[in-house]
Amino acid sequence: MPYVFGGLVVLNALMLGYYLFLKQPSATQSVKQAKADLVQPIEFSNSALYIPPRIGNKD
């Protein structure tokens, strides 16, 4: 039994190393869409003009 357990540990380490370091992940449709959304510019409006003055301020 110790040989089976040791073999499974070694096999697990080999598979983990393969998936972490050798295999390149393929981009799914949702990942491509998210990257495209990040590249597009975001609208920005300066809302600081609409903030009321602080209470107690004489401005």
Side-chain angles (χ1 to χ4, degrees):
M1 274 312 216
Y3 296 113
V4 174
F5 179 74
L8 288 175
V9 169
V10 170
L11 181 65
N12 191 11
L14 290 174
M15 294 300 289
L16 180 67
Y18 171 74
Y19 280 106
L20 286 179
F21 301 113
L22 298 178
K23 185 177 181 206
Q24 297 295 322
S26 60
T28 60
Q29 184 64 27
S30 60
V31 172
K32 292 177 186 175
Q33 181 65 35
K35 285 184 179 180
D37 289 343
L38 288 175
V39 173
Q40 300 299 326
I42 300 172
E43 288 186 24
F44 174 75
S45 60
N46 188 2
S47 62
L49 300 173
Y50 307 109
I51 299 175
R54 292 171 54 174
I55 297 176
N57 210 359
K58 294 186 178 185
D59 291 335

